[in-house]
Amino acid sequence: MEAQWRQGGRGRGRGRPGDELAARSGPPAARGRGGARAAAAGPIGDGASGECRVPPLPALPGPGLGSRRCPAAPAELSSLKKFDEIKKANQAAAKKLVEDQLSSSSEDDDEDAEAKQGKILDKTFTIYTSQTNGDASELERTRQYMNEAFQSGAMTCLICIASVKRNQAVWSCCGCFCIFHLVCIQKWAKDSVFLVSSPLTDDDFGKKDYPWPCPKCRFEYKRSETPSRYYCYCGKVENPAVDPWLVPHSCGQICEREFKPSCGHKCLLLCHPGPCPPCPKMVTTTCHCKKAKAVPRRCSAKEWSCRLPCGRTLLCGQHVCENPCHAGDCQPCPRVSKQRCICGRQTAERLCASPQWQCDQVCGKCLPCGNHTCEQVCHAGPCGDCPRSGKRSCPCGKTKFTLPCTEDVPTCGDSCDKVLECGIHKCSQRCHRGPCEICRQEVEKQCRCGKHTKRMPCHKPYLCETKCTKIRDCQKHQCRRKCCSGNCPPCDQVCGRTLGCRNHKCPSGCHRGSCNPCPETVDVKCNCGKTVIKVPCGRERTIKPPKCKQLCSRPPTCHHPTQEKHYCHFGRCPPCRQPCQKTLTCGHLCPVSCHDEALVKQTGSHQSAGPWEQPSEPAFIQTALPCPPCEVPIPVECLGQHEVSPLPCHSANPYSCKRFCGRLLDCQNHTCMKECHRVTKSNSSADGKKAGPECSQCEEECTKPRPAGCPHRCVLPCHPGDCPSCLQMLKIKCHCKLSVLYIECLKLTCADVKEKELLISCRNQCPKELPCGHRCKEICHSGGCPLNCSQKVKLRCLCKRLKKEVQCSKIQEGQVSLECDALCKEMKRKAYEIKEAEAKAALEEEKRRQQAELEAFENRLKGRRKNKRRKDEVEVEQSSWQKYKNFIMLPVFGVAVVMV
């Protein structure tokens, strides 16, 4: 709205002073024509929001005015004055509030904004960096445009010199990528086309599509390309929604614009301002000379050189290119050779790339006429015929003569009749050589503007003294050129109108319509002036100062010689955080942060008049605080000398560590169990670990360990040194556990192993059984019995016929065995034969029984006797074994019994 008013105000002849003042300070509704009109009703706005509204002014009576007011009335001027005063007061209050909170809130807000901005940028670049393995070096230019889009006040419309906000419709130039308000660029395009087409006549108007330029880079657009709708940067979405988590004026989709120069791929970033980065795709391509093997490379850098010699034949046809592999055509052959000129008379060293050359000598060959020589300079081929041979014309060209080449052509004597320079009259002289004279005839001439006539020589121009009164193309100034032909030149005066920046005047020639944006830039500096950014003229009052990376150079306000390092800033320096380093009473330096300018809450300074009065906010005053108590750790030993602990310097006194005293008492067995306490050292006691008079006295029994095997306690109280010998009797069983013995404790504990073995033995035979079953032959002893049994036992052979007495231990060890003799083997063989004969007889008996049963079964099946049953009697004949077994077995059993 402000931009529209500014451009509209220029087109209406600058407006009145009251209008301009109201337009600068008042709301948009009150700007433009009649800017002093009652534009806002209601109370004055809040100063913190930065919006002020003009209170309604009383209407002035007048004929035909109604409620309208005269701009120059005193009431209007007074209201404007009040408005300016209120505006200044609100601005001062807002400025003070911002300065008070600058050190605490602005840094946090900036950090939050930068963190949010970093997340949005990372999200925008994610797809691109995934193709480049995280390499973002090619995104710096695009990142700069996106940072300007985020920075408050960085994006400025050069037409209206106003900030471009998130919720405003914009248009971006495809040449310089500068962003303008959509309304501003539409008006700019319309005015530009009108200015270009205005000098045309009515017949020519509309026949040609005149372009309009970008206000910044002057890139020309067709009239049909004038923007009419608001699109995002990539042009996919119309009227993109405002999203705080997207780049301003972005749709959030993938850009997909084709790269320039076109490679067939599309941009992978999310919808973004500024140019698209180089193509990150990987393609397989070979070098310029096509000799190297194809390798994968980035599409944006697919043109590469293998650095090998090119090897292509040069234009000379004799040599090859020796330059490293390169793009485009090869350079001319750089070699030098001796070459003849075209005529062949001279030879010179020349570049092989330019073999054709001419020398400076005239040909001089005799022409076919035989009278003249060739006057051409170094040429190829035949010289041709003599130029003076054949028919030749006289100087006026009316008569032709056939003469020898040695004679000149004479004049014909007729009038010249060639057209003079005026283009109207002809030469009246006779045929002559050389140029004709100027036209000297007197004619009636009309001046250039066509208002006057005069008789004068034809060759002289006629200009009258009448000045042109036509208005030039600026539609402001007259032509004022003498004798103007009607095609008045453009206005040569300087425009001189105040530009939108309100700082400079238009330096262009006088023109119609809006002036171009101010070409000047203004330096916005930091507080120290070392960091400078250039902004369009007119934006220096609203742009945020740059962040300076230089250290603040102000002198310190505390007792330190130099202040803490921090960056350049406006307003007060932050509180000093350096260590105080003042010397305390103890001699140490104060380690806390500087407290020379601490903010202290002031209480009790104001007494409320009553309960109806609202409590005021606490006031803070800046004052120097005293140094706190010294906290330097000092090693201090406890009262009982158990430990050394670091204590703060201000409380470094002897203390009790709450442990037990632990000093060795006089009994030399126990320690003092009192809590850590002070102990007086005696001169006779050199050891610092012995108990003092303040320690407790030992009242325990003697707990020293007794000799091994003594179960009795010491009869003395806790004492130093060794305990007396034990004289009590011990009741103990012997090794075999059958007898009870009474032994003196001292003898048992002082005896060695052998003596102890004899003392505990009862001197009787050991009652234990050996593994073989015999009784141990040893006297009562400890441990296991010996295994070498000496008892005599009888040993028999396998058939039990032979026997022998042998020591039991040898049988257990398997050292002795008794084998059967020949008689035993003979008896064993006979017994085996008898056993086989019995088995054979039993088998035959079983067969006969089965045969008898089979025959009886068959007889039953035949049924020979149906009415009578008759018992079949089968007479079984006894075998030889059954008959004589008793006579055989009796002698055998007798022999066996005898052997056993």
Side-chain angles (χ1 to χ4, degrees):
M1 293 294 293
E2 183 179 357
Q4 295 175 2
W5 169 81
R6 289 180 180 176
Q7 295 180 359
R10 297 170 190 163
R12 297 186 184 97
R14 304 283 295 167
R16 293 182 298 274
D19 296 345
E20 183 177 357
L21 181 60
R24 290 187 183 179
S25 58
R31 300 175 187 174
R33 184 178 177 182
R37 226 175 266 175
I44 297 173
D46 186 8
S49 63
E51 298 180 359
C52 300
R53 290 178 289 176
V54 181
L57 302 178
L60 297 177
L65 294 177
S67 61
R68 300 181 65 181
R69 293 171 285 110
C70 179
E76 179 190 3
L77 296 177
S78 62
S79 63
L80 292 175
K81 186 176 181 181
K82 291 180 180 179
F83 175 81
D84 289 338
E85 292 176 356
I86 295 173
K87 180 181 177 182
K88 291 180 180 179
N90 290 337
Q91 289 178 349
K95 184 177 180 181
K96 182 178 180 181
L97 180 62
V98 170
E99 289 179 352
D100 291 342
Q101 298 180 352
L102 182 63
S103 60
S104 60
S105 62
S106 62
E107 294 179 359
D108 297 338
D109 294 343
D110 291 344
E111 292 177 358
D112 295 342
E114 290 179 359
K116 180 179 178 182
Q117 177 180 342
K119 292 181 180 178
I120 297 175
L121 292 180
D122 294 342
K123 179 181 176 182
T124 305
F125 297 151
T126 298
I127 303 179
Y128 186 92
T129 53
S130 64
Q131 297 282 338
T132 60
N133 296 328
D135 184 13
S137 58
E138 301 290 347
L139 297 173
E140 292 302 324
R141 189 179 177 192
T142 306
R143 190 188 298 273
Q144 180 181 358
Y145 278 94
M146 297 182 69
N147 288 333
E148 291 179 357
F150 282 111
Q151 186 177 356
S152 176
M155 294 176 60
T156 304
C157 177
L158 296 181
I159 300 175
C160 64
I161 317 298
S163 297
V164 178
K165 299 181 180 178
R166 280 178 173 266
N167 56 353
Q168 292 177 333
V170 297
W171 175 83
S172 176
C173 174
C174 62
C176 61
F177 305 100
C178 187
I179 294 177
F180 306 91
H181 292 120
L182 182 63
V183 177
C184 296
I185 199 64
Q186 288 174 344
K187 189 176 186 305
W188 174 271
K190 182 179 178 181
D191 292 347
S192 300
V193 172
F194 176 75
L195 290 176
V196 173
S197 60
S198 60
L200 302 178
T201 61
D202 295 338
D203 297 335
D204 296 334
F205 187 80
K207 292 183 179 180
K208 187 176 181 181
D209 188 8
Y210 291 96
W212 56 273
C214 169
K216 183 179 180 181
C217 65
R218 317 308 294 178
F219 183 82
E220 291 187 349
Y221 294 89
K222 296 181 181 179
R223 189 174 183 178
S224 59
E225 294 177 347
T226 303
S228 59
R229 296 183 181 181
Y230 168 41
Y231 288 94
C232 61
Y233 297 113
C234 63
K236 293 181 182 178
V237 179
E238 182 180 354
N239 296 323
V242 179
D243 191 341
W245 286 99
L246 290 177
V247 180
H249 315 291
S250 170
C251 63
Q253 302 180 21
I254 298 178
C255 178
E256 292 186 346
R257 289 183 288 184
E258 290 191 359
F259 291 108
K260 293 182 182 180
S262 179
C263 62
H265 302 124
K266 296 182 179 180
C267 181
L268 301 177
L269 298 182
L270 300 185
C271 182
H272 62 91
C276 296
C279 181
K281 294 285 187 179
M282 299 297 291
V283 295
T284 303
T285 179
T286 185
C287 62
H288 300 296
C289 64
K290 312 298 182 183
K291 293 181 180 179
K293 185 179 178 181
V295 295
R297 291 178 65 87
R298 290 275 169 80
C299 183
S300 59
K302 59 185 177 182
E303 300 291 338
W304 63 284
S305 173
C306 64
R307 310 308 298 172
L308 296 175
C310 176
R312 285 185 284 185
T313 304
L314 299 177
L315 296 178
C316 65
Q318 299 178 2
H319 307 105
V320 294
C321 180
E322 297 180 355
N323 293 331
C325 176
H326 60 86
D329 297 333
C330 298
Q331 296 180 358
C333 183
R335 297 194 178 185
V336 178
S337 60
K338 289 185 177 181
Q339 300 176 3
R340 289 182 176 274
C341 64
I342 296 177
C343 65
R345 293 182 180 180
Q346 295 184 5
T347 303
E349 289 188 354
R350 294 181 57 83
L351 293 175
C352 187
S354 56
Q356 300 291 331
W357 66 285
Q358 287 181 327
C359 62
D360 298 334
Q361 294 184 8
V362 179
C363 178
K365 292 181 181 180
C366 186
L367 296 177
C369 66
N371 299 320
H372 302 94
T373 57
C374 180
E375 296 180 356
Q376 297 182 28
V377 177
C378 186
H379 65 88
C383 297
D385 296 335
C386 180
R388 295 171 65 88
S389 63
K391 291 184 178 182
R392 289 179 287 170
S393 299
C394 65
C396 68
K398 293 180 179 180
T399 306
K400 292 186 177 181
F401 299 91
T402 302
L403 297 174
C405 64
T406 56
E407 296 181 7
D408 295 332
V409 178
T411 58
C412 63
D414 198 357
S415 59
C416 181
D417 287 340
K418 291 181 180 179
V419 179
L420 299 176
E421 292 181 357
C422 64
I424 300 174
H425 304 102
K426 294 182 179 180
C427 180
S428 59
Q429 295 180 358
R430 290 187 180 276
C431 180
H432 62 88
R433 291 183 176 87
C436 298
E437 296 181 353
I438 60 176
C439 183
R440 298 182 183 276
Q441 294 188 30
E442 288 191 358
V443 294
E444 193 77 18
K445 272 197 167 186
Q446 192 177 21
C447 66
R448 190 167 53 185
C449 65
K451 293 182 179 180
H452 302 88
T453 57
K454 184 178 180 181
R455 192 169 186 82
M456 58 186 304
C458 182
H459 69 278
K460 291 184 178 181
Y462 175 43
L463 299 176
C464 68
E465 297 295 328
T466 304
K467 294 183 178 180
C468 181
T469 59
K470 289 184 179 181
I471 302 298
R472 295 193 179 187
D473 57 355
C474 65
Q475 301 297 319
K476 293 181 181 180
H477 305 104
Q478 292 182 346
C479 177
R480 306 302 293 171
R481 189 173 65 161
K482 290 182 180 182
C483 194
C484 180
S485 62
N487 188 15
C488 301
C491 184
D492 55 356
Q493 297 188 32
V494 179
C495 176
R497 286 186 290 179
T498 303
L499 298 177
C501 63
R502 304 295 177 184
N503 296 327
H504 302 94
K505 296 184 181 295
C506 180
S508 305
C510 189
H511 58 87
R512 287 185 295 173
S514 303
C515 299
N516 289 336
C518 180
E520 301 292 334
T521 57
V522 180
D523 293 341
V524 178
K525 301 181 180 180
C526 64
N527 188 36
C528 66
K530 294 182 180 179
T531 303
V532 182
I533 59 173
K534 292 184 179 296
V535 298
C537 182
R539 293 293 295 163
E540 66 274 7
R541 292 182 292 272
T542 57
I543 199 71
K544 191 175 181 181
K547 290 185 178 179
C548 180
K549 296 300 182 181
Q550 301 293 330
L551 298 178
C552 180
S553 59
R554 297 181 183 178
T557 56
C558 59
H559 68 278
H560 291 101
T562 57
Q563 63 176 351
E564 189 178 12
K565 292 182 180 180
H566 60 280
Y567 293 129
C568 171
H569 61 91
F570 290 92
R572 294 176 56 88
C573 290
C576 179
R577 295 184 178 87
Q578 300 182 73
C580 178
Q581 296 297 311
K582 289 183 179 179
T583 304
L584 303 176
T585 56
C586 59
H588 296 114
L589 300 179
C590 181
V592 299
S593 298
C594 181
H595 45 83
D596 287 354
E597 296 179 344
L599 292 177
V600 180
K601 187 175 181 181
Q602 189 177 15
T603 57
S605 59
H606 176 71
Q607 296 293 335
S608 58
W612 60 86
E613 185 177 354
Q614 293 293 334
S616 61
E617 294 183 358
F620 290 89
I621 59 174
Q622 199 172 45
T623 182
L625 297 178
C627 294
C630 182
E631 297 290 339
V632 176
I634 302 297
V636 179
E637 191 176 24
C638 67
L639 295 173
Q641 301 177 355
H642 301 115
E643 65 178 18
V644 177
S645 298
L647 297 180
C649 181
H650 70 277
S651 60
N653 297 319
Y655 66 99
S656 173
C657 63
K658 305 301 181 183
R659 299 180 184 176
F660 293 115
C661 176
R663 291 179 178 269
L664 189 63
L665 299 178
D666 295 337
C667 64
Q668 302 295 321
N669 298 322
H670 299 94
T671 57
C672 178
M673 300 303 293
K674 283 186 177 181
E675 188 178 301
C676 178
H677 58 89
R678 188 183 300 275
V679 179
T680 303
K681 294 182 180 180
S682 58
N683 297 331
S684 60
S685 176
D687 190 1
K689 296 299 181 182
K690 288 189 177 181
E694 294 85 359
C695 295
S696 59
Q697 299 295 327
C698 181
E699 298 177 355
E700 300 289 335
E701 296 180 354
C702 180
T703 57
K704 290 183 179 181
R706 304 297 294 164
C710 178
H712 309 106
R713 300 181 65 180
C714 180
V715 295
L716 299 177
C718 185
H719 59 87
D722 298 332
C723 297
S725 301
C726 182
L727 301 178
Q728 300 186 34
M729 299 298 291
L730 284 176
K731 181 180 179 181
I732 190 171
K733 287 188 176 183
C734 64
H735 298 300
C736 57
K737 309 298 181 182
L738 296 179
S739 303
V740 177
L741 305 177
Y742 290 91
I743 306 172
E744 191 175 349
C745 181
L746 178 61
K747 292 181 179 180
L748 185 63
T749 56
C750 294
D752 55 6
V753 177
K754 291 184 178 180
E755 292 178 352
K756 192 177 293 186
E757 179 76 18
L758 295 175
L759 288 174
I760 302 176
S761 176
C762 61
R763 304 292 192 278
N764 296 324
Q765 184 181 357
C766 179
K768 297 178 184 178
E769 279 191 1
L770 298 177
C772 60
H774 302 116
R775 184 177 176 182
C776 181
K777 299 297 184 180
E778 300 290 334
I779 300 173
C780 178
H781 60 87
S782 63
C785 298
L787 299 179
N788 52 348
C789 180
S790 58
Q791 183 73 26
K792 296 289 185 177
V793 294
K794 292 180 179 181
L795 179 64
R796 293 180 180 272
C797 66
L798 294 177
C799 62
K800 308 297 183 183
R801 188 180 71 83
L802 302 177
K803 63 179 179 180
K804 181 181 179 181
E805 288 188 356
V806 186
Q807 193 175 356
C808 180
S809 61
K810 292 183 179 181
I811 297 176
Q812 296 296 328
E813 294 174 359
Q815 297 179 1
V816 180
S817 62
L818 185 61
E819 302 292 338
C820 295
D821 55 0
L823 181 60
C824 292
K825 293 179 180 179
E826 182 65 23
M827 291 179 66
K828 187 185 293 185
R829 184 182 61 77
K830 289 181 179 181
Y832 178 72
E833 290 178 354
I834 293 171
K835 189 174 181 181
E836 280 188 351
E838 288 180 352
K840 187 175 181 181
L843 182 61
E844 291 178 355
E845 179 68 23
E846 180 67 20
K847 287 182 179 180
R848 280 194 294 273
R849 187 181 61 79
Q850 291 179 357
Q851 184 66 28
E853 289 180 357
L854 180 61
E855 291 177 357
F857 179 71
E858 289 177 353
N859 292 333
R860 284 195 299 270
L861 292 177
K862 290 179 180 180
R864 295 178 180 177
R865 297 178 182 178
K866 300 178 181 177
N867 299 326
K868 247 195 222 177
R869 286 186 180 180
R870 191 168 93 182
K871 184 178 180 182
D872 295 333
E873 295 180 357
V874 181
E875 186 175 352
V876 180
E877 185 179 359
Q878 292 183 348
S879 62
S880 58
W881 167 255
Q882 292 177 347
K883 293 179 179 179
Y884 302 109
K885 65 180 179 181
N886 294 331
F887 298 101
I888 295 172
M889 294 301 295
L890 287 175
V892 173
F893 287 140
V895 173
V897 169
V898 171
M899 289 178 65
V900 174

